[in-house]
């Protein structure tokens, strides 16, 4: 069964790290006889520079047809002064909404080999393994109306709308309950139901779903408390489910607890399990082109792609085992370098994963 | 010059901790000849139980007339199932909006005596001293329209509005720039200007203000990155300014970096410097009535009150010095207890501060 993968290198370090992940996927393709076919396209700043739009029609067309997408990163200072509608980020947001990739899975895992990189005390984070399920195509990111208007007084007011329908909440809730079922059966839903009506509905629907998943223990937490508890005692969490904006904030906070955000992959899925996969870190323009970026988050994103969109669990595990092996060997890119590590370049790290496969 | 202070004990541990702060204020009143006069009133769950509303007219009337307000905390499980409009939190939110207490100052300070309480590594947090300036009467907390509506499809949609006018942004911006001027002259404004139009306006107005405060170094950071940087390297920040919702989340995260949220006070001020002062922690219903709560955040809130609303800097410093002294003596309530500390009750801690004055 032939499957097509779309590579979207994007901006900054994107092209360098995607190149390494592509090498790994080619090897896996051969080794497991997967019949993967690769295409690539422009998105973000790279697309703006060539075509004057962050999400060219051709890219969107290819994305719709692909079984899965591997994205590097988008954005950089040279595009920061553009109006919001034509910034690199719109390429990313446009893909998410056009493909209805509503379910964003962001694991925050502390690799035992990298435990010392965390800014938290070892006993607080050792063994950390949280899955954040973030709603990705609704909430305040996409709510209408939005904009800047002039009031009668003559002064301007900026405004956005934070909205969720029952069905939007229900479908992300199901993804989260199912993720919890496959893990330790504990789900924490994060909202601000003491202040925001939209999250009162959120909480109500999560409560509704509880009945369909009696084996999962559901709890609720206010977002301010969740931000606090992630710092105080992150291991109290297993799966966290929340809306788009709170998920953006909490997933980055959770990722940073590990101290090695260069290691963390993510998946964004729609209801057909078509997905876009990308590292949690950004485009890191300051180190772009230097060959020192960490390709492992992107390589691990390729593993997530094999697992979630292509149903190739064995191939996914092979990549994950290879990554673990290179870490055991002491290989480290600059961002995860430690006293006893051996510093390697982006390409050397990719080659080491290939060799370990 | 006689000044009136309104005490609002509220719920949970509120009455216990406010009682200790009141003792301290009485002593300060005498010692410094301040002519402070004290009243008290009901708010939150305590007010619901007596009068069926979280913010009785009488309380609001007294609050308007007071020069400053000292609040314990509001909320508890027994009122959690009430509709949003009549929950204890509405008492707090009603005070904030009716008195236009738009400027919320939340310091996150690591007391050297309590350094080991933090879940972060000592080198990451030692000497931490951040001031978060949170806008408190606008943004999504108060934006209209809001509610739950039925769509044509028959399903419900919850919605809230995140809005700020230029003048709302400008006045909180000024408070933050002025705070930065009195500290290390570094201000970081947190927004999500790559996605939310309302925060594009926020960023523009902050940039405008830069010209009025040329001695302050202004930077901008996206909220997801800020949540991450607070964990990675919190000491990069001095003053942070942000909107109501982001401020709620980030100030709690920052507070927890210290590991001792039982120590952190807060101030909420309007443009006449009238203010409401309260500990950053909540009503802690699980330990209410046990006499073990930490009164120091409330006592330190009283010190902030003397400083910001009453202009009594010397009296404020006396309280802060007394608190530092009892910590030096090794006195610890349960929440900040450590191996070499001496455990004391709420009242014993209050008495020790009195003695140290
Ligand atoms: C680049 C930005 C629009 C994006 C978001 O806010 O969703 C990023 O922060 C992320 O989390 O993927
Ligand atoms: C109790 C709640 C309404 C309040 C808020 O969200 O502002 C609290 O979390 C705070 O930060 O003071």
């Amino acid at each position: 069964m032939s499957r097509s993968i779309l590579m979207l290198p994007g901006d900054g370090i994107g092209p360098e790290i995607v190149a390494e992940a592509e090498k790994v996927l080619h090897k896996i393709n051969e080794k497991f006889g997967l019949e993967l076919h690769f295409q690539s396209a422009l998105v973000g700043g790279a697309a703006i520079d060539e075509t004057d739009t962050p999400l060219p029609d051709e890219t969107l067309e290819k994305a719709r047809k692909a079984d899965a997408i591997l994205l590097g990163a988008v954005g950089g200072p040279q595009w920061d002064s553009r109006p919001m509608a034509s910034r690199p980020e719109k390429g990313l947001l446009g893909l998410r909404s056009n493909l209805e990739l509503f379910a964003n899975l962001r694991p925050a895992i502390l690799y035992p080999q990298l435990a010392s990189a965390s800014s938290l005390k070892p006993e607080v984070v050792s063994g950390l393994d949280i899955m954040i399920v973030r709603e990705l195509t609704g909430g305040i990111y996409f709510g209408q109306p939005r904009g800047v208007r002039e009031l009668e007084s003559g002064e301007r007011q900026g405004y956005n709308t934070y909205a969720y329908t029952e069905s939007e909440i229900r479908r992300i809730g199901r993804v989260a309950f199912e993720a919890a079922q496959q893990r330790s059966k504990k789900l924490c839903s994060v909202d601000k139901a003491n202040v925001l009506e939209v999250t009162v509905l959120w909480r109500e629907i999560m409560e509704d779903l509880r009945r369909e998943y009696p084996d999962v223990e559901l709890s609720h937490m206010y977002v301010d408390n969740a931000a606090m508890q992630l710092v105080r005692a992150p291991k109290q969490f297993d799966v966290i489910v929340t809306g788009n904006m709170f998920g953006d904030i909490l997933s980055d906070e959770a990722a940073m607890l590990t101290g090695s955000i260069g290691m963390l992959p993510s998946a964004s899925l729609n209801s057909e399990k078509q997905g876009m996969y990308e590292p949690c870190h950004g485009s890191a323009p300051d180190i772009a082109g230097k060959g020192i970026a960490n390709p492992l988050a992107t390589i691990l994103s390729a593993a997530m792609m094999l697992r979630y969109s292509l149903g190739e669990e064995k191939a996914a595990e092979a990549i994950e085992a290879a990554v673990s092996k290179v870490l055991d060997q002491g290989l480290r890119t600059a961002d995860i370098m430690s006293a006893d590590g051996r510093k390697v370049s982006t390409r050397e790290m990719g080659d080491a994963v290939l060799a370990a496969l």
Side-chain angles (χ1 to χ4, degrees), chain A residues 74-75 88-90 92-93 96 104 106 134 136 141 244-245 247-249 251-252 266 278-281:
Chain A
V74 298
E89 288 87 346
K90 278 288 164 190
L92 182 61
L93 297 173
R96 290 177 182 169
N104 186 208
R106 301 206 172 185
R134 167 188 176 194
L136 202 60
Y141 273 63
N244 208 340
M245 187 75 250
D248 180 47
I249 300 171
S251 69
D252 269 13
S266 78
E278 48 178 316
C280 276
H281 60 73

Side-chain angles (χ1 to χ4, degrees), chain A residues 66-260:
Chain A
D67 291 291
I69 302 164
L70 191 71
L71 176 83
V74 298
Q78 62 267 54
W79 305 287
D80 262 1
S81 55
R82 296 175 66 94
M84 182 130 51
S86 61
R87 291 169 58 115
E89 288 87 346
K90 278 288 164 190
L92 182 61
L93 297 173
L95 282 168
R96 290 177 182 169
S97 71
N98 278 291
L99 303 182
E100 276 205 76
L101 305 171
F102 69 91
N104 186 208
L105 308 182
R106 301 206 172 185
I109 294 175
L110 187 83
Y111 285 83
Q113 301 97 327
L114 303 177
S116 66
S118 172
S119 57
L120 279 81
K121 290 179 179 159
E123 66 273 23
V124 180
V125 285
S126 73
L128 185 73
D129 181 354
I130 300 178
M131 173 68 88
I132 301 209
V133 178
R134 167 188 176 194
E135 201 289 331
L136 202 60
T137 54
I140 201 161
Y141 273 63
F142 295 96
Q144 294 288 352
R146 63 193 300 157
V148 177
R149 65 185 150 215
E150 203 174 300
L151 300 178
E152 282 179 18
S153 64
E155 68 163 338
R156 288 172 300 158
Q157 182 190 49
Y159 59 101
N160 284 87
T161 301
Y162 181 6
Y164 273 118
T165 62
E166 289 178 72
S167 54
E168 283 174 323
I169 302 167
R170 196 165 285 118
R171 69 179 177 177
I172 190 70
R174 285 192 211 283
V175 171
F177 272 99
E178 278 159 30
Q181 277 183 325
Q182 278 164 38
R183 295 172 47 108
S184 76
K185 303 194 164 35
K186 259 176 57 187
L187 175 62
C188 179
S189 169
V190 172
D191 61 38
K192 187 76 188 178
N194 54 346
V195 176
L196 303 179
E197 283 84 352
V198 51
T199 66
V200 173
L201 186 64
W202 178 281
R203 191 177 279 218
E204 183 192 317
I205 302 294
M206 290 295 159
E207 276 297 315
D208 266 7
L209 287 175
R210 187 202 281 272
R211 266 168 268 141
E212 292 176 39
Y213 304 90
D215 52 333
V216 174
E217 186 194 315
L218 173 70
S219 62
H220 303 279
M221 198 180 273
Y222 297 137
V223 62
D224 47 336
N225 192 23
M228 214 151 76
Q229 296 302 328
L230 278 171
V231 168
R232 196 185 67 83
K235 286 189 272 181
Q236 72 186 277
F237 297 107
D238 183 40
V239 180
I240 291 177
V241 63
T242 191
N244 208 340
M245 187 75 250
F246 294 163
D248 180 47
I249 300 171
L250 296 182
S251 69
D252 269 13
E253 180 184 348
M256 193 44 95
L257 298 175
T258 68
S260 40

Side-chain angles (χ1 to χ4, degrees), chain A residues 312-330:
Chain A
E312 301 289 351
E313 177 65 25
K314 287 238 161 56
E317 283 170 13
I319 294 180
E320 287 163 352
V323 167
S324 195
K325 198 158 155 197
V326 302
L327 292 179
D328 285 339
Q329 290 162 359

Side-chain angles (χ1 to χ4, degrees), chain A residues 2-8 18-30 34-41 62 66-70 302 305-306 310 319:
Chain A
S2 134
R3 269 91 44 105
S4 71
I5 313 294
L6 180 64
M7 311 299 268
L8 298 174
V18 166
E20 299 311 311
E22 193 166 351
K23 282 187 342 201
V24 170
L25 279 171
H26 278 292
K27 174 85 175 239
I28 284 283
N29 198 14
E30 262 172 48
L34 299 182
E35 294 183 59
L36 305 181
H37 297 275
F38 299 90
Q39 277 201 303
S40 72
K62 283 181 174 170
D67 291 291
I69 302 164
L70 191 71
M305 175 171 96
L306 288 161
L310 307 176
I319 294 180

